[in-house]
Amino acid sequence: MSNSNINNTIYDISTIQQVLINSPLEGIKMLPLNLAILVKAIFGETKKYHRAGQYITNHQLRLAQKDTKACSCTAALKIIQHLDNPNVVTFCQTRAHINHVSGDWDEVRTLPLPSEAIKIIEDQLKSGSSCKSTRISALRQIDSWGVGVRKPNYEEIYNRMRKMTTLLYMFASDENAYISIWLNVKLAEQNYCIFEINLSVYNDGKKQFAFGFQSLTQVSIMRILQSFCLNATHSISSRSNKVLYTLVTRHSQTGKGFPVAYMVTNNQTAMPIKLWLDHLRIKSSFVPMNITIDCSIMEVNAIKEALPHATIHYCDVHNLDSKIKLNASYTSEQLGNYKTALKNYLRHILIESNEDVFLRAIEDFKLMVQDQSQFLKYFEKKWTENKGLLRRWGRPYVSQQHQRYVTNNYVESWHNQLKTIYFGCTCIRRLDRLIFILTNDVEFYFEQEVEHIHFNNGKIGPIDNELARNSFVASKIQNDMLPSIILNPLGETGNSMDDYNDAVNANENEVEEEVEEELESGGTAEDRGVYVFDKIAAYSATMHHGFEDLQTLKTISSLDQTKADLIKRALADTVRLMDEYRSENPSYFRNMNTQR
């Protein structure tokens, strides 16, 4: 650097403007020629000028073609970082630019995208934004950076998205290959419960398949609940014959629909549904008491064969079909009003919980539609022909714990969210993207929902909501009125709270003594074993519902830890003894391995 002058002042990013000089273009600064500038070290990377060299094409030149970035510019920027003072870097431009005007507006197109802009684009794409919305958002942020910054175009964002998708979920071009990679490698590494079966052997060699998956969280929630909704949604990929089946239940902590199992298939018969439900029953301990479906004979047959103990309910919003017709003398508005009146009366039937009133209302409805022969025949055959059909949709026959599931709103709302929010109202082309969305975006969303409820961050959860309502009602009751409104187990009011507690304790002791006497006198060893495990299950259920209490106890700093240690040791012994039971009886317990 003997031919260069040295400015001994050390600059940083906030003061570097003091030494830069104006370029021929307004608003653009540049380094002075042959003047060494000392700057506090902010990076340790050296790059040659991006317009150096010369590009020679092997193709015939087109009439309309932009100039290349390489213009044989010989400008050089010498950067020196000394070992004895690594915190200061020396910059010196030793040769001037040639064959172009440095800082010209035409120069901006030749610049590479800043690393900050690339990070903004990648963050937007990872969050699920489309190329169009990503470009708009990135341009808004880059616009405040000032002049001399190249802004991304649509093609660059699209190419960046293609590169990212290859890293995130596109592991092969062949459908069978990438599904196999996802099921056997990616999801298996995360201990997903996998269902996979080749249906071609059942269909004369036709290329048909069915596969499904569950996370450990989904399996754990499925095992403790008894009511579910089952439904299928179409148009999940570019091929219309592929459908997604989802089992959805109501999450006890969020109060919202929660998907607990998925299956994708291109065989729209009862066979894949039956095999999938068999898999869930065997591998995931799926023993539902109630399942709500649309009026689908195919799904009914599959559930009956795989889960004969489950009660099937029809979704009650799909009763009135397009089979209602009026002659040409009626306008479309009059036909719409007529259908609305029938739907309103039918909804009145559907909410009726008294069986006698329910049956009379059905007969009245049949009289109302007696001139609609096509609909009446359908209604009688599919919904009212026998008591078994009535039990599938009538509210008088729905158990109390399944009252929230008399419609398929949980699963239909979930499928609507999947297509509008996660698919962006577009049809995805490949099933690997579907798998990625379900196992990454959807899984993460529901984890965050539960976390918000646990930390009381945002909307109050259903459990806290009910407790708050009960607490408010109880706070309005005067203390001297409590003994007169509390009933003991015999259905009687006590004179005081002590009388109430004494009655409860006496009744519990009496019941336990009667059970023990019965088991000791006439009960078999099997009966005694069942009784013991029923008691263990009751304690286990109590601990499950005490989860919120445990979270509260964690926040009490002055709590005596002695009892907590006793509880921890007792539960550890319980888990150890259960593991011993499983190891001693391996044929009765199954692990969540992949079905082949």
Side-chain angles (χ1 to χ4, degrees), residues 41-210:
I42 54 175
F43 61 86
E45 185 178 3
T46 302
K47 290 184 177 181
K48 64 180 181 179
Y49 187 62
H50 71 285
R51 300 206 68 177
Q54 186 176 8
Y55 174 76
I56 301 176
T57 180
N58 295 324
H59 304 282
Q60 183 178 1
L61 292 177
R62 296 187 297 268
L63 293 178
Q65 183 170 326
K66 292 194 300 183
D67 294 335
T68 66
K69 290 192 295 184
C71 65
S72 301
C73 178
T74 60
L77 180 66
K78 185 175 289 188
I79 303 173
I80 300 177
Q81 187 175 28
H82 298 280
L83 292 176
D84 57 348
N85 191 7
N87 293 326
V88 176
V89 179
T90 301
F91 290 84
C92 181
Q93 183 176 344
T94 58
R95 270 182 264 173
H97 295 275
I98 62 172
N99 299 330
H100 71 103
V101 179
S102 177
D104 191 3
W105 291 113
D106 186 57
E107 292 281 288
V108 175
R109 70 173 181 85
T110 68
L111 296 173
L113 279 178
S115 58
E116 296 85 352
I118 294 175
K119 186 178 185 306
I120 291 174
I121 294 170
E122 290 183 345
D123 290 342
Q124 292 281 334
L125 293 174
K126 286 179 182 178
S127 66
S129 297
S130 64
C131 290
K132 182 178 180 180
S133 59
T134 297
R135 180 170 181 263
I136 294 174
S137 177
L139 290 177
R140 289 183 185 277
Q141 297 180 62
I142 296 173
D143 193 53
S144 62
W145 295 357
V147 297
V149 178
R150 188 168 75 81
K151 299 178 180 179
N153 55 48
Y154 182 87
E155 289 76 14
E156 288 174 318
I157 295 177
Y158 178 77
N159 291 334
R160 179 67 55 174
M161 183 188 71
R162 290 293 301 271
K163 182 178 180 180
M164 289 177 59
T165 54
T166 302
L167 298 174
L168 292 174
Y169 60 83
M170 287 186 181
F171 305 120
S173 56
D174 179 70
E175 184 176 80
N176 292 334
Y178 66 65
I179 289 177
S180 178
I181 293 174
W182 265 105
L183 298 181
N184 301 321
V185 180
K186 300 300 180 180
L187 297 186
E189 291 174 350
Q190 303 176 54
N191 295 321
Y192 270 70
C193 182
I194 307 297
F195 165 74
E196 184 182 14
I197 191 165
N198 183 5
L199 298 175
S200 300
V201 296
Y202 304 100
N203 296 278
D204 299 327
K206 295 180 180 179
K207 187 179 178 181
Q208 294 189 334
F209 63 85

Side-chain angles (χ1 to χ4, degrees), residues 175 178-180 182-183 187 194-199 209-213 236 242-245 262-266 272 276 431-432 434-435 438:
E175 184 176 80
Y178 66 65
I179 289 177
S180 178
W182 265 105
L183 298 181
L187 297 186
I194 307 297
F195 165 74
E196 184 182 14
I197 191 165
N198 183 5
L199 298 175
F209 63 85
F211 66 87
F213 44 87
I236 59 168
K242 296 174 183 176
V243 296
L244 169 68
Y245 281 91
Y262 309 109
M263 182 187 70
V264 180
T265 182
N266 60 353
W276 177 48
L431 291 179
D432 50 3
L434 170 67
I435 300 174
L438 294 177

Side-chain angles (χ1 to χ4, degrees), residues 166-377:
T166 302
L167 298 174
L168 292 174
Y169 60 83
M170 287 186 181
F171 305 120
S173 56
D174 179 70
E175 184 176 80
N176 292 334
Y178 66 65
I179 289 177
S180 178
I181 293 174
W182 265 105
L183 298 181
N184 301 321
V185 180
K186 300 300 180 180
L187 297 186
E189 291 174 350
Q190 303 176 54
N191 295 321
Y192 270 70
C193 182
I194 307 297
F195 165 74
E196 184 182 14
I197 191 165
N198 183 5
L199 298 175
S200 300
V201 296
Y202 304 100
N203 296 278
D204 299 327
K206 295 180 180 179
K207 187 179 178 181
Q208 294 189 334
F209 63 85
F211 66 87
F213 44 87
Q214 287 178 290
S215 68
L216 294 178
T217 301
Q218 290 175 311
V219 172
S220 63
I221 292 177
M222 169 184 278
R223 286 177 173 175
I224 63 176
L225 297 177
Q226 296 182 335
S227 296
F228 301 86
C229 298
L230 173 64
N231 200 6
T233 183
H234 298 257
S235 302
I236 59 168
S237 72
S238 56
R239 298 181 182 178
S240 59
N241 64 333
K242 296 174 183 176
V243 296
L244 169 68
Y245 281 91
T246 311
L247 268 170
V248 176
T249 189
R250 179 181 181 271
H251 199 289
S252 58
Q253 294 175 336
T254 65
K256 301 177 181 179
F258 180 82
V260 294
Y262 309 109
M263 182 187 70
V264 180
T265 182
N266 60 353
N267 181 306
Q268 299 182 28
T269 66
M271 182 178 295
I273 306 175
K274 188 265 180 186
L275 296 175
W276 177 48
L277 295 177
D278 280 337
H279 163 81
L280 295 177
R281 173 175 51 81
I282 296 171
K283 300 292 184 180
S284 303
S285 302
F286 181 47
V287 284
M289 298 301 296
N290 304 278
I291 298 181
T292 297
I293 62 173
D294 286 346
C295 184
S296 170
I297 301 302
M298 176 183 67
E299 293 176 6
V300 170
N301 293 336
I303 295 172
K304 279 185 174 181
E305 190 170 352
L307 306 166
H309 60 279
T311 300
I312 301 173
H313 297 279
Y314 286 160
C315 177
D316 61 17
V317 299
H318 295 283
N319 292 281
L320 191 59
D321 203 273
S322 58
K323 303 181 187 300
I324 296 291
K325 294 178 173 51
L326 295 176
N327 59 46
S329 62
Y330 291 90
T331 64
S332 58
E333 182 180 0
Q334 290 173 321
L335 176 60
N337 293 335
Y338 178 59
K339 288 183 178 181
T340 300
L342 294 180
K343 287 180 180 180
N344 291 335
Y345 192 86
L346 194 53
R347 290 192 183 99
H348 171 72
I349 299 176
L350 295 170
I351 64 174
E352 181 55 59
S353 57
N354 183 280
E355 184 176 6
D356 293 335
V357 178
F358 172 76
L359 296 175
R360 287 198 302 269
I362 290 177
E363 296 303 319
D364 293 340
F365 181 75
K366 289 181 180 179
L367 293 176
M368 293 176 60
V369 296
Q370 59 183 347
D371 56 337
Q372 299 289 333
S373 57
Q374 183 183 9
F375 174 75
L376 182 59
K377 182 179 178 180

Side-chain angles (χ1 to χ4, degrees), residues 22-36:
N22 293 326
S23 72
L25 299 172
E26 183 180 357
I28 302 296
K29 296 284 188 176
M30 60 185 295
L31 284 171
L33 189 62
N34 292 324
L35 177 64

Side-chain angles (χ1 to χ4, degrees), residues 465-529:
N465 192 346
E466 183 177 358
L467 291 175
R469 290 175 180 271
N470 293 340
S471 177
F472 176 78
V473 173
S475 67
K476 299 301 180 182
I477 302 175
Q478 299 179 4
N479 292 336
D480 56 353
M481 295 180 60
L482 291 176
S484 63
I485 64 176
I486 297 177
L487 300 179
N488 62 22
L490 300 178
E492 302 170 345
T493 58
N495 294 325
S496 66
M497 292 300 294
D498 293 335
D499 293 340
Y500 168 73
N501 293 330
D502 292 340
V504 171
N505 294 331
N507 185 71
E508 289 180 350
N509 295 334
E510 182 180 350
V511 171
E512 290 183 359
E513 290 174 1
E514 290 178 357
V515 172
E516 292 176 358
E517 290 177 1
E518 181 179 352
L519 292 175
E520 291 176 359
S521 59
T524 64
E526 183 179 356
D527 293 332
R528 291 193 291 274

